[in-house]
Amino acid sequence: MDLSNRTVIVVGGGSGIGLGIARAALARGARIVLGGRSREKLDRALEALEAGERGRSVAVDITQEADVVRLFESVPEVDHIAVTAATLAYQPIREFDLEAARRAVRSKLLGALLIAKHGGARLRPGGSITFTTGVATDRPLPRGSMVGAVNGAIDCFIRGAAIELAPIRVNALSPGWVDTELWDVIGADKASRFSGMAQRLPVGRIGTPDDLGHAAIFLMTNGFTTGTVLHVDGGHRFV
Ligand SMILES: NC(=O)c1ccc[n+]([C@@H]2O[C@H](COP(=O)([O-])OP(=O)(O)OC[C@H]3O[C@@H](n4cnc5c(N)ncnc54)[C@H](OP(=O)(O)O)[C@@H]3O)[C@@H](O)[C@H]2O)c1
């Protein structure tokens, strides 16, 4: 699981699971490039990682093709790409705001297409792309129809991409509930919902960004794994 002298781009690396992936890649010797929309968030993340000369960032909105092109132009030699970026919405189907649904599709699914389209050609031999799906595909929550839909689309997208971009390997991580900023929207309910879920899960706890970082390194470095969804969910699919 060594990444010395490798360059890893993490789109979504400014927070949460992406930050966990960046931390894991740094710990294994990689140079990292964080991508995300908020320059401030990226600066904070680089500082927290203490990445020094092995870390830099590029402001990129994954829904904008020109941004994605610019990202890869600014990082000419890439070994691995991980993508956690998404702007998803939980809403009841009967009241779903179409613009919020479009944002979900544009960021998670079409964003993945843009990364594969422009990043695939840039990767050095042995390279890989890791996208992010999620447990909502298998265990939908009320109001989560579009979250499950875009995650499920990623499950399918990586299979086609793994065939078409070969020998570049293309996989996806499927997180269960992971303690990140994504959950801040539920405010004070977060602690009680997390402890309820932790009691149900076979592993007895909620996931951490580092759990997902560890799994992402496996997908980057295992040369025989492609077209695979790696479930890192504490057994959530079975409870
Ligand atoms: N946390 C969980 O429990 C959980 C469970 C299942 C699946 N997931 C999936 O895991 C992924 C990461 O989630 P997380 O928990 O790490 O959330 P997070 O902390 O909110 O991270 C998402 C990152 O993506 C960036 N981003 C969002 N939209 C973007 C865009 N259009 N272009 C570029 N960057 C963008 C955000 O930064 P900016 O806002 O600065 O762009 C942010 O740093 C998501 O795809 C989510 O669906 C998470």
mmCIF file with all atom_site columns, all heavy atoms in Angstrom, residues 103-125:
data_model
loop_
_atom_site.group_PDB
_atom_site.id
_atom_site.type_symbol
_atom_site.label_atom_id
_atom_site.label_alt_id
_atom_site.label_comp_id
_atom_site.label_asym_id
_atom_site.label_entity_id
_atom_site.label_seq_id
_atom_site.pdbx_PDB_ins_code
_atom_site.Cartn_x
_atom_site.Cartn_y
_atom_site.Cartn_z
_atom_site.occupancy
_atom_site.B_iso_or_equiv
_atom_site.pdbx_formal_charge
_atom_site.auth_seq_id
_atom_site.auth_comp_id
_atom_site.auth_asym_id
_atom_site.auth_atom_id
_atom_site.pdbx_PDB_model_num
ATOM 1   N N   . ARG A 1 103 ? -28.831 19.388 -9.459  1.00 0.00 ? 103 ARG A N   1
ATOM 2   C CA  . ARG A 1 103 ? -27.510 19.579 -8.827  1.00 0.00 ? 103 ARG A CA  1
ATOM 3   C C   . ARG A 1 103 ? -26.915 18.224 -8.416  1.00 0.00 ? 103 ARG A C   1
ATOM 4   O O   . ARG A 1 103 ? -25.726 17.980 -8.556  1.00 0.00 ? 103 ARG A O   1
ATOM 5   C CB  . ARG A 1 103 ? -27.629 20.473 -7.587  1.00 0.00 ? 103 ARG A CB  1
ATOM 6   C CG  . ARG A 1 103 ? -27.424 21.943 -7.871  1.00 0.00 ? 103 ARG A CG  1
ATOM 7   C CD  . ARG A 1 103 ? -27.139 22.730 -6.600  1.00 0.00 ? 103 ARG A CD  1
ATOM 8   N NE  . ARG A 1 103 ? -28.233 22.706 -5.652  1.00 0.00 ? 103 ARG A NE  1
ATOM 9   C CZ  . ARG A 1 103 ? -29.295 23.499 -5.697  1.00 0.00 ? 103 ARG A CZ  1
ATOM 10  N NH1 . ARG A 1 103 ? -29.398 24.408 -6.647  1.00 0.00 ? 103 ARG A NH1 1
ATOM 11  N NH2 . ARG A 1 103 ? -30.252 23.399 -4.794  1.00 0.00 ? 103 ARG A NH2 1
ATOM 12  N N   . ALA A 1 104 ? -27.784 17.344 -7.903  1.00 0.00 ? 104 ALA A N   1
ATOM 13  C CA  . ALA A 1 104 ? -27.324 16.020 -7.485  1.00 0.00 ? 104 ALA A CA  1
ATOM 14  C C   . ALA A 1 104 ? -26.772 15.238 -8.684  1.00 0.00 ? 104 ALA A C   1
ATOM 15  O O   . ALA A 1 104 ? -25.688 14.643 -8.617  1.00 0.00 ? 104 ALA A O   1
ATOM 16  C CB  . ALA A 1 104 ? -28.470 15.255 -6.821  1.00 0.00 ? 104 ALA A CB  1
ATOM 17  N N   . VAL A 1 105 ? -27.517 15.261 -9.781  1.00 0.00 ? 105 VAL A N   1
ATOM 18  C CA  . VAL A 1 105 ? -27.089 14.521 -10.982 1.00 0.00 ? 105 VAL A CA  1
ATOM 19  C C   . VAL A 1 105 ? -25.834 15.155 -11.567 1.00 0.00 ? 105 VAL A C   1
ATOM 20  O O   . VAL A 1 105 ? -24.875 14.460 -11.928 1.00 0.00 ? 105 VAL A O   1
ATOM 21  C CB  . VAL A 1 105 ? -28.231 14.480 -12.025 1.00 0.00 ? 105 VAL A CB  1
ATOM 22  C CG1 . VAL A 1 105 ? -27.750 13.845 -13.324 1.00 0.00 ? 105 VAL A CG1 1
ATOM 23  C CG2 . VAL A 1 105 ? -29.435 13.726 -11.465 1.00 0.00 ? 105 VAL A CG2 1
ATOM 24  N N   . ARG A 1 106 ? -25.838 16.493 -11.630 1.00 0.00 ? 106 ARG A N   1
ATOM 25  C CA  . ARG A 1 106 ? -24.672 17.177 -12.236 1.00 0.00 ? 106 ARG A CA  1
ATOM 26  C C   . ARG A 1 106 ? -23.405 16.952 -11.426 1.00 0.00 ? 106 ARG A C   1
ATOM 27  O O   . ARG A 1 106 ? -22.331 16.751 -11.985 1.00 0.00 ? 106 ARG A O   1
ATOM 28  C CB  . ARG A 1 106 ? -24.933 18.689 -12.334 1.00 0.00 ? 106 ARG A CB  1
ATOM 29  C CG  . ARG A 1 106 ? -25.886 19.067 -13.439 1.00 0.00 ? 106 ARG A CG  1
ATOM 30  C CD  . ARG A 1 106 ? -25.833 20.579 -13.672 1.00 0.00 ? 106 ARG A CD  1
ATOM 31  N NE  . ARG A 1 106 ? -26.978 20.994 -14.459 1.00 0.00 ? 106 ARG A NE  1
ATOM 32  C CZ  . ARG A 1 106 ? -27.919 21.828 -14.032 1.00 0.00 ? 106 ARG A CZ  1
ATOM 33  N NH1 . ARG A 1 106 ? -27.846 22.369 -12.830 1.00 0.00 ? 106 ARG A NH1 1
ATOM 34  N NH2 . ARG A 1 106 ? -28.914 22.150 -14.827 1.00 0.00 ? 106 ARG A NH2 1
ATOM 35  N N   . SER A 1 107 ? -23.525 17.001 -10.094 1.00 0.00 ? 107 SER A N   1
ATOM 36  C CA  . SER A 1 107 ? -22.302 16.886 -9.292  1.00 0.00 ? 107 SER A CA  1
ATOM 37  C C   . SER A 1 107 ? -21.847 15.437 -9.209  1.00 0.00 ? 107 SER A C   1
ATOM 38  O O   . SER A 1 107 ? -20.697 15.123 -9.511  1.00 0.00 ? 107 SER A O   1
ATOM 39  C CB  . SER A 1 107 ? -22.500 17.488 -7.901  1.00 0.00 ? 107 SER A CB  1
ATOM 40  O OG  . SER A 1 107 ? -23.538 16.829 -7.198  1.00 0.00 ? 107 SER A OG  1
ATOM 41  N N   . LYS A 1 108 ? -22.748 14.540 -8.856  1.00 0.00 ? 108 LYS A N   1
ATOM 42  C CA  . LYS A 1 108 ? -22.261 13.183 -8.587  1.00 0.00 ? 108 LYS A CA  1
ATOM 43  C C   . LYS A 1 108 ? -22.082 12.360 -9.865  1.00 0.00 ? 108 LYS A C   1
ATOM 44  O O   . LYS A 1 108 ? -21.034 11.758 -10.070 1.00 0.00 ? 108 LYS A O   1
ATOM 45  C CB  . LYS A 1 108 ? -23.195 12.451 -7.620  1.00 0.00 ? 108 LYS A CB  1
ATOM 46  C CG  . LYS A 1 108 ? -22.528 11.225 -7.009  1.00 0.00 ? 108 LYS A CG  1
ATOM 47  C CD  . LYS A 1 108 ? -22.952 10.969 -5.603  1.00 0.00 ? 108 LYS A CD  1
ATOM 48  C CE  . LYS A 1 108 ? -21.994 10.062 -4.884  1.00 0.00 ? 108 LYS A CE  1
ATOM 49  N NZ  . LYS A 1 108 ? -22.371 9.820  -3.501  1.00 0.00 ? 108 LYS A NZ  1
ATOM 50  N N   . LEU A 1 109 ? -23.087 12.364 -10.748 1.00 0.00 ? 109 LEU A N   1
ATOM 51  C CA  . LEU A 1 109 ? -23.003 11.488 -11.927 1.00 0.00 ? 109 LEU A CA  1
ATOM 52  C C   . LEU A 1 109 ? -22.262 12.158 -13.087 1.00 0.00 ? 109 LEU A C   1
ATOM 53  O O   . LEU A 1 109 ? -21.285 11.617 -13.606 1.00 0.00 ? 109 LEU A O   1
ATOM 54  C CB  . LEU A 1 109 ? -24.415 11.057 -12.349 1.00 0.00 ? 109 LEU A CB  1
ATOM 55  C CG  . LEU A 1 109 ? -24.465 10.173 -13.590 1.00 0.00 ? 109 LEU A CG  1
ATOM 56  C CD1 . LEU A 1 109 ? -23.641 8.898  -13.399 1.00 0.00 ? 109 LEU A CD1 1
ATOM 57  C CD2 . LEU A 1 109 ? -25.911 9.827  -13.945 1.00 0.00 ? 109 LEU A CD2 1
ATOM 58  N N   . LEU A 1 110 ? -22.704 13.353 -13.480 1.00 0.00 ? 110 LEU A N   1
ATOM 59  C CA  . LEU A 1 110 ? -22.027 13.997 -14.611 1.00 0.00 ? 110 LEU A CA  1
ATOM 60  C C   . LEU A 1 110 ? -20.626 14.459 -14.204 1.00 0.00 ? 110 LEU A C   1
ATOM 61  O O   . LEU A 1 110 ? -19.711 14.485 -15.028 1.00 0.00 ? 110 LEU A O   1
ATOM 62  C CB  . LEU A 1 110 ? -22.872 15.158 -15.153 1.00 0.00 ? 110 LEU A CB  1
ATOM 63  C CG  . LEU A 1 110 ? -24.274 14.739 -15.642 1.00 0.00 ? 110 LEU A CG  1
ATOM 64  C CD1 . LEU A 1 110 ? -25.022 15.918 -16.242 1.00 0.00 ? 110 LEU A CD1 1
ATOM 65  C CD2 . LEU A 1 110 ? -24.187 13.597 -16.657 1.00 0.00 ? 110 LEU A CD2 1
ATOM 66  N N   . GLY A 1 111 ? -20.447 14.767 -12.926 1.00 0.00 ? 111 GLY A N   1
ATOM 67  C CA  . GLY A 1 111 ? -19.101 15.081 -12.422 1.00 0.00 ? 111 GLY A CA  1
ATOM 68  C C   . GLY A 1 111 ? -18.176 13.886 -12.609 1.00 0.00 ? 111 GLY A C   1
ATOM 69  O O   . GLY A 1 111 ? -17.022 14.030 -13.026 1.00 0.00 ? 111 GLY A O   1
ATOM 70  N N   . ALA A 1 112 ? -18.686 12.700 -12.318 1.00 0.00 ? 112 ALA A N   1
ATOM 71  C CA  . ALA A 1 112 ? -17.877 11.483 -12.504 1.00 0.00 ? 112 ALA A CA  1
ATOM 72  C C   . ALA A 1 112 ? -17.519 11.302 -13.980 1.00 0.00 ? 112 ALA A C   1
ATOM 73  O O   . ALA A 1 112 ? -16.389 10.947 -14.328 1.00 0.00 ? 112 ALA A O   1
ATOM 74  C CB  . ALA A 1 112 ? -18.645 10.265 -11.983 1.00 0.00 ? 112 ALA A CB  1
ATOM 75  N N   . LEU A 1 113 ? -18.498 11.575 -14.846 1.00 0.00 ? 113 LEU A N   1
ATOM 76  C CA  . LEU A 1 113 ? -18.236 11.460 -16.284 1.00 0.00 ? 113 LEU A CA  1
ATOM 77  C C   . LEU A 1 113 ? -17.116 12.416 -16.702 1.00 0.00 ? 113 LEU A C   1
ATOM 78  O O   . LEU A 1 113 ? -16.195 12.038 -17.440 1.00 0.00 ? 113 LEU A O   1
ATOM 79  C CB  . LEU A 1 113 ? -19.521 11.761 -17.070 1.00 0.00 ? 113 LEU A CB  1
ATOM 80  C CG  . LEU A 1 113 ? -19.355 11.842 -18.584 1.00 0.00 ? 113 LEU A CG  1
ATOM 81  C CD1 . LEU A 1 113 ? -18.935 10.488 -19.172 1.00 0.00 ? 113 LEU A CD1 1
ATOM 82  C CD2 . LEU A 1 113 ? -20.651 12.316 -19.244 1.00 0.00 ? 113 LEU A CD2 1
ATOM 83  N N   . LEU A 1 114 ? -17.179 13.662 -16.207 1.00 0.00 ? 114 LEU A N   1
ATOM 84  C CA  . LEU A 1 114 ? -16.154 14.647 -16.584 1.00 0.00 ? 114 LEU A CA  1
ATOM 85  C C   . LEU A 1 114 ? -14.771 14.241 -16.085 1.00 0.00 ? 114 LEU A C   1
ATOM 86  O O   . LEU A 1 114 ? -13.770 14.418 -16.779 1.00 0.00 ? 114 LEU A O   1
ATOM 87  C CB  . LEU A 1 114 ? -16.525 16.035 -16.051 1.00 0.00 ? 114 LEU A CB  1
ATOM 88  C CG  . LEU A 1 114 ? -17.724 16.708 -16.731 1.00 0.00 ? 114 LEU A CG  1
ATOM 89  C CD1 . LEU A 1 114 ? -18.021 18.052 -16.070 1.00 0.00 ? 114 LEU A CD1 1
ATOM 90  C CD2 . LEU A 1 114 ? -17.454 16.905 -18.228 1.00 0.00 ? 114 LEU A CD2 1
ATOM 91  N N   . ILE A 1 115 ? -14.723 13.694 -14.869 1.00 0.00 ? 115 ILE A N   1
ATOM 92  C CA  . ILE A 1 115 ? -13.432 13.253 -14.333 1.00 0.00 ? 115 ILE A CA  1
ATOM 93  C C   . ILE A 1 115 ? -12.888 12.091 -15.165 1.00 0.00 ? 115 ILE A C   1
ATOM 94  O O   . ILE A 1 115 ? -11.701 12.050 -15.520 1.00 0.00 ? 115 ILE A O   1
ATOM 95  C CB  . ILE A 1 115 ? -13.573 12.836 -12.852 1.00 0.00 ? 115 ILE A CB  1
ATOM 96  C CG1 . ILE A 1 115 ? -13.900 14.046 -11.972 1.00 0.00 ? 115 ILE A CG1 1
ATOM 97  C CG2 . ILE A 1 115 ? -12.305 12.109 -12.354 1.00 0.00 ? 115 ILE A CG2 1
ATOM 98  C CD1 . ILE A 1 115 ? -12.784 15.056 -11.792 1.00 0.00 ? 115 ILE A CD1 1
ATOM 99  N N   . ALA A 1 116 ? -13.760 11.152 -15.514 1.00 0.00 ? 116 ALA A N   1
ATOM 100 C CA  . ALA A 1 116 ? -13.309 10.009 -16.323 1.00 0.00 ? 116 ALA A CA  1
ATOM 101 C C   . ALA A 1 116 ? -12.894 10.488 -17.727 1.00 0.00 ? 116 ALA A C   1
ATOM 102 O O   . ALA A 1 116 ? -11.878 10.041 -18.267 1.00 0.00 ? 116 ALA A O   1
ATOM 103 C CB  . ALA A 1 116 ? -14.421 8.965  -16.410 1.00 0.00 ? 116 ALA A CB  1
ATOM 104 N N   . LYS A 1 117 ? -13.672 11.419 -18.279 1.00 0.00 ? 117 LYS A N   1
ATOM 105 C CA  . LYS A 1 117 ? -13.407 11.912 -19.637 1.00 0.00 ? 117 LYS A CA  1
ATOM 106 C C   . LYS A 1 117 ? -12.037 12.605 -19.729 1.00 0.00 ? 117 LYS A C   1
ATOM 107 O O   . LYS A 1 117 ? -11.253 12.331 -20.620 1.00 0.00 ? 117 LYS A O   1
ATOM 108 C CB  . LYS A 1 117 ? -14.527 12.892 -20.037 1.00 0.00 ? 117 LYS A CB  1
ATOM 109 C CG  . LYS A 1 117 ? -14.365 13.545 -21.397 1.00 0.00 ? 117 LYS A CG  1
ATOM 110 C CD  . LYS A 1 117 ? -15.566 14.443 -21.704 1.00 0.00 ? 117 LYS A CD  1
ATOM 111 C CE  . LYS A 1 117 ? -15.326 15.224 -23.002 1.00 0.00 ? 117 LYS A CE  1
ATOM 112 N NZ  . LYS A 1 117 ? -16.418 16.174 -23.279 1.00 0.00 ? 117 LYS A NZ  1
ATOM 113 N N   . HIS A 1 118 ? -11.772 13.507 -18.777 1.00 0.00 ? 118 HIS A N   1
ATOM 114 C CA  . HIS A 1 118 ? -10.543 14.306 -18.870 1.00 0.00 ? 118 HIS A CA  1
ATOM 115 C C   . HIS A 1 118 ? -9.395  13.743 -18.049 1.00 0.00 ? 118 HIS A C   1
ATOM 116 O O   . HIS A 1 118 ? -8.236  13.987 -18.368 1.00 0.00 ? 118 HIS A O   1
ATOM 117 C CB  . HIS A 1 118 ? -10.836 15.746 -18.464 1.00 0.00 ? 118 HIS A CB  1
ATOM 118 C CG  . HIS A 1 118 ? -11.814 16.401 -19.386 1.00 0.00 ? 118 HIS A CG  1
ATOM 119 N ND1 . HIS A 1 118 ? -11.478 16.762 -20.668 1.00 0.00 ? 118 HIS A ND1 1
ATOM 120 C CD2 . HIS A 1 118 ? -13.134 16.699 -19.232 1.00 0.00 ? 118 HIS A CD2 1
ATOM 121 C CE1 . HIS A 1 118 ? -12.548 17.287 -21.269 1.00 0.00 ? 118 HIS A CE1 1
ATOM 122 N NE2 . HIS A 1 118 ? -13.565 17.251 -20.420 1.00 0.00 ? 118 HIS A NE2 1
ATOM 123 N N   . GLY A 1 119 ? -9.710  13.004 -16.982 1.00 0.00 ? 119 GLY A N   1
ATOM 124 C CA  . GLY A 1 119 ? -8.649  12.465 -16.129 1.00 0.00 ? 119 GLY A CA  1
ATOM 125 C C   . GLY A 1 119 ? -8.131  11.132 -16.634 1.00 0.00 ? 119 GLY A C   1
ATOM 126 O O   . GLY A 1 119 ? -6.939  10.813 -16.484 1.00 0.00 ? 119 GLY A O   1
ATOM 127 N N   . GLY A 1 120 ? -9.020  10.351 -17.240 1.00 0.00 ? 120 GLY A N   1
ATOM 128 C CA  . GLY A 1 120 ? -8.645  9.003  -17.691 1.00 0.00 ? 120 GLY A CA  1
ATOM 129 C C   . GLY A 1 120 ? -7.412  9.012  -18.577 1.00 0.00 ? 120 GLY A C   1
ATOM 130 O O   . GLY A 1 120 ? -6.498  8.198  -18.427 1.00 0.00 ? 120 GLY A O   1
ATOM 131 N N   . ALA A 1 121 ? -7.375  9.983  -19.486 1.00 0.00 ? 121 ALA A N   1
ATOM 132 C CA  . ALA A 1 121 ? -6.270  10.046 -20.445 1.00 0.00 ? 121 ALA A CA  1
ATOM 133 C C   . ALA A 1 121 ? -4.970  10.517 -19.807 1.00 0.00 ? 121 ALA A C   1
ATOM 134 O O   . ALA A 1 121 ? -3.894  10.370 -20.373 1.00 0.00 ? 121 ALA A O   1
ATOM 135 C CB  . ALA A 1 121 ? -6.658  10.987 -21.582 1.00 0.00 ? 121 ALA A CB  1
ATOM 136 N N   . ARG A 1 122 ? -5.065  11.124 -18.637 1.00 0.00 ? 122 ARG A N   1
ATOM 137 C CA  . ARG A 1 122 ? -3.874  11.719 -17.996 1.00 0.00 ? 122 ARG A CA  1
ATOM 138 C C   . ARG A 1 122 ? -3.144  10.768 -17.066 1.00 0.00 ? 122 ARG A C   1
ATOM 139 O O   . ARG A 1 122 ? -2.036  11.060 -16.621 1.00 0.00 ? 122 ARG A O   1
ATOM 140 C CB  . ARG A 1 122 ? -4.305  12.907 -17.128 1.00 0.00 ? 122 ARG A CB  1
ATOM 141 C CG  . ARG A 1 122 ? -4.898  14.038 -17.903 1.00 0.00 ? 122 ARG A CG  1
ATOM 142 C CD  . ARG A 1 122 ? -3.846  15.107 -18.079 1.00 0.00 ? 122 ARG A CD  1
ATOM 143 N NE  . ARG A 1 122 ? -4.322  16.162 -18.944 1.00 0.00 ? 122 ARG A NE  1
ATOM 144 C CZ  . ARG A 1 122 ? -3.579  17.176 -19.321 1.00 0.00 ? 122 ARG A CZ  1
ATOM 145 N NH1 . ARG A 1 122 ? -2.347  17.273 -18.917 1.00 0.00 ? 122 ARG A NH1 1
ATOM 146 N NH2 . ARG A 1 122 ? -4.063  18.084 -20.125 1.00 0.00 ? 122 ARG A NH2 1
ATOM 147 N N   . LEU A 1 123 ? -3.821  9.672  -16.699 1.00 0.00 ? 123 LEU A N   1
ATOM 148 C CA  . LEU A 1 123 ? -3.252  8.821  -15.657 1.00 0.00 ? 123 LEU A CA  1
ATOM 149 C C   . LEU A 1 123 ? -2.059  8.029  -16.162 1.00 0.00 ? 123 LEU A C   1
ATOM 150 O O   . LEU A 1 123 ? -2.061  7.512  -17.291 1.00 0.00 ? 123 LEU A O   1
ATOM 151 C CB  . LEU A 1 123 ? -4.330  7.863  -15.131 1.00 0.00 ? 123 LEU A CB  1
ATOM 152 C CG  . LEU A 1 123 ? -5.387  8.539  -14.254 1.00 0.00 ? 123 LEU A CG  1
ATOM 153 C CD1 . LEU A 1 123 ? -6.579  7.620  -14.049 1.00 0.00 ? 123 LEU A CD1 1
ATOM 154 C CD2 . LEU A 1 123 ? -4.792  8.934  -12.915 1.00 0.00 ? 123 LEU A CD2 1
ATOM 155 N N   . ARG A 1 124 ? -1.057  7.918  -15.311 1.00 0.00 ? 124 ARG A N   1
ATOM 156 C CA  . ARG A 1 124 ? 0.128   7.141  -15.678 1.00 0.00 ? 124 ARG A CA  1
ATOM 157 C C   . ARG A 1 124 ? -0.189  5.643  -15.585 1.00 0.00 ? 124 ARG A C   1
ATOM 158 O O   . ARG A 1 124 ? -1.156  5.256  -14.921 1.00 0.00 ? 124 ARG A O   1
ATOM 159 C CB  . ARG A 1 124 ? 1.278   7.506  -14.743 1.00 0.00 ? 124 ARG A CB  1
ATOM 160 C CG  . ARG A 1 124 ? 1.776   8.919  -15.024 1.00 0.00 ? 124 ARG A CG  1
ATOM 161 C CD  . ARG A 1 124 ? 3.144   9.139  -14.465 1.00 0.00 ? 124 ARG A CD  1
ATOM 162 N NE  . ARG A 1 124 ? 3.160   9.300  -13.036 1.00 0.00 ? 124 ARG A NE  1
ATOM 163 C CZ  . ARG A 1 124 ? 4.008   10.093 -12.390 1.00 0.00 ? 124 ARG A CZ  1
ATOM 164 N NH1 . ARG A 1 124 ? 4.894   10.790 -13.067 1.00 0.00 ? 124 ARG A NH1 1
ATOM 165 N NH2 . ARG A 1 124 ? 3.999   10.185 -11.090 1.00 0.00 ? 124 ARG A NH2 1
ATOM 166 N N   . PRO A 1 125 ? 0.622   4.793  -16.218 1.00 0.00 ? 125 PRO A N   1
ATOM 167 C CA  . PRO A 1 125 ? 0.377   3.340  -16.147 1.00 0.00 ? 125 PRO A CA  1
ATOM 168 C C   . PRO A 1 125 ? 0.240   2.901  -14.691 1.00 0.00 ? 125 PRO A C   1
ATOM 169 O O   . PRO A 1 125 ? 0.974   3.367  -13.816 1.00 0.00 ? 125 PRO A O   1
ATOM 170 C CB  . PRO A 1 125 ? 1.630   2.749  -16.792 1.00 0.00 ? 125 PRO A CB  1
ATOM 171 C CG  . PRO A 1 125 ? 2.149   3.821  -17.685 1.00 0.00 ? 125 PRO A CG  1
ATOM 172 C CD  . PRO A 1 125 ? 1.800   5.135  -17.040 1.00 0.00 ? 125 PRO A CD  1
#
